[in-house]
Amino acid sequence: MTAILDLAPTTQRRGRRTAGLARRLCAGVLVALVLFALVGPFVLGDPAAQSLDRFLEAPSLAEPLGRDDYGRSVVSRLAHATRLSLVLAALCVATALVIGTASGVLAAWRGGWVDAVLRSVSEVFVALPALLIVLLVAALSDGDLWTLYVGLAVAQWVEYFRVVRARAALVLGSPAVEVAGLLRLGPWHVVRRHLWPELRPALTTLASLGMVTSILAMSTLGFVKVGLEPPRAELGLMITESFPYYDVAPWMSLAPVAVLFLLTVCFLGLRRTEDA
C-alpha cells in the first residue's frame, strides 16, 4: 500500500513532464505555421499567377510542393490559405469571446430581466446547430469573406456566454465579492481580482477549441463549395480542386490536409495542457 502511495507522485510528475513536452512541441509547430503564414505570402509570389505550360509540375527545389492544374505554385497558395484560415479564425474567436464574455458577465451581474433576455437569446442559438447557422449565413454571403466571418462568430458566442455566466454567478455570489462590495472597492476590483482569475483558464480552453472549430468550419464550407469561392486560396477549396488529380499529383491535396491536421493537433494540444 505504501509503495503504491509512493508511486503516485512519481506518476504525476511524469504526467506533468509529458504534458509540458507536448505543449512545447505543439507551440513550436504552431509558431512555425504562423511564420509560414505571415512571411510566406511576401516571399512566394502571387498565388493566382498561372503558368499553363507548367501544368501539374512535380515538386522540385524551386517549387517544393509543385504546381497545380493551372500551373499555380502550390506552396504559395498554401501560405496564403494558411494565413487566411488563421486570421479569420482569430477574428471570429476574438469577436465571439468579447461578445460572449461581456454578455455572460452582464447577465450574472445584473440578473433579473437582463439575465432572462440574454438567456432566452442564447437558448435560441443552442437549439440551432452551429454548422446550420454558418451554412445559412454562408449561403447568403455569396462567397463574401466578411459575411462568413460574421456567421462563424455568431455561431460561437453562445459557448462563451453559457460558461462565463455560470462561473461568474458563482464568483459574484462568493463571500469575497460581498466583502469587496461592503468595502466599496468598485466593479474594476471585482473583475480584476475575482472574475478574471476564475474565467481566464476556461476562456483559454474555449479559445483554443474555437480556433479549431473556425478553421475546420471554413475548410468544410470551402470543401463543399458553399464558403469562399475560387480563385481565392483556401484550404478546403485547395483540397476540393486537387481531388481530380490525386492519382497523378498527390502533393496538391496532401499539403492542405497536412496543414489542417497540424493546426488541429497543435491547438488541441495547447488546450489539454491548459486544462492540466
Side-chain angles (χ1 to χ4, degrees):
M1 185 66 180
T2 303
I4 295 176
L5 293 176
D6 291 339
L7 286 175
T10 304
T11 305
Q12 291 177 354
R13 285 196 295 271
R14 288 178 180 174
R16 285 195 292 269
R17 283 199 296 269
T18 303
L21 179 62
R23 180 186 182 185
R24 288 192 290 273
L25 180 62
C26 290
V29 176
L30 192 58
V31 167
L33 287 171
V34 170
L35 289 176
F36 173 66
L38 294 178
V39 179
F42 295 102
V43 299
L44 294 174
D46 185 3
Q50 299 182 12
S51 180
L52 297 179
D53 58 329
R54 303 177 71 176
F55 172 81
L56 297 182
E57 184 178 277
S60 63
L61 288 178
E63 289 290 345
L65 297 178
R67 289 184 175 260
D68 65 7
D69 51 318
Y70 288 98
R72 298 173 298 192
S73 171
V74 175
V75 68
S76 176
R77 292 182 60 76
L78 191 66
H80 282 79
T82 305
R83 183 179 64 176
L84 175 64
S85 294
L86 287 173
V87 171
L88 188 59
L91 286 175
C92 293
V93 168
T95 304
L97 187 148
V98 170
I99 295 175
T101 301
S103 57
V105 171
L106 180 64
W109 205 313
R110 297 299 299 272
W113 67 269
V114 176
D115 182 32
V117 170
L118 290 173
R119 190 153 39 84
S120 300
V121 174
S122 72
E123 288 172 354
V124 173
F125 282 88
V126 170
L128 295 173
L131 188 57
L132 177 60
I133 297 175
V134 178
L135 280 172
L136 289 174
V137 176
L140 299 174
S141 68
D142 196 23
D144 179 67
L145 185 64
W146 292 108
T147 311
L148 183 61
Y149 149 71
V150 171
L152 290 172
V154 167
Q156 294 187 46
W157 78 276
V158 67
E159 298 175 9
Y160 296 90
F161 169 79
R162 290 167 64 86
V163 172
V164 169
R165 176 182 171 276
R167 295 205 175 191
L170 293 175
V171 174
L172 294 175
S174 65
V177 175
E178 291 181 4
V179 171
L182 293 174
L183 295 176
R184 300 181 182 279
L185 295 178
W188 173 244
H189 171 84
V190 174
V191 171
R192 183 172 58 87
R193 294 294 301 272
H194 301 288
L195 273 179
W196 177 245
E198 178 67 24
L199 296 179
R200 185 178 59 82
L203 291 177
T204 304
T205 300
L206 287 175
S208 299
L209 283 173
M211 289 293 293
V212 175
T213 302
S214 298
I215 291 172
L216 293 181
M218 186 166 54
S219 300
T220 301
L221 293 174
F223 184 76
V224 298
K225 298 184 178 181
V226 177
L228 303 177
E229 296 182 348
R232 189 186 296 272
E234 194 275 326
L235 295 174
L237 275 176
M238 290 181 66
I239 297 173
T240 302
E241 294 171 348
S242 63
F243 270 176
Y245 309 98
Y246 181 78
D247 290 337
V248 293
W251 57 84
M252 286 175 55
S253 56
L254 292 178
V257 169
V259 170
L260 279 177
F261 175 77
L262 290 175
L263 287 175
T264 303
V265 170
C266 289
F267 279 117
L268 291 180
L270 293 177
R271 177 190 63 86
R272 286 197 298 270
T273 303
E274 184 68 25
D275 287 342

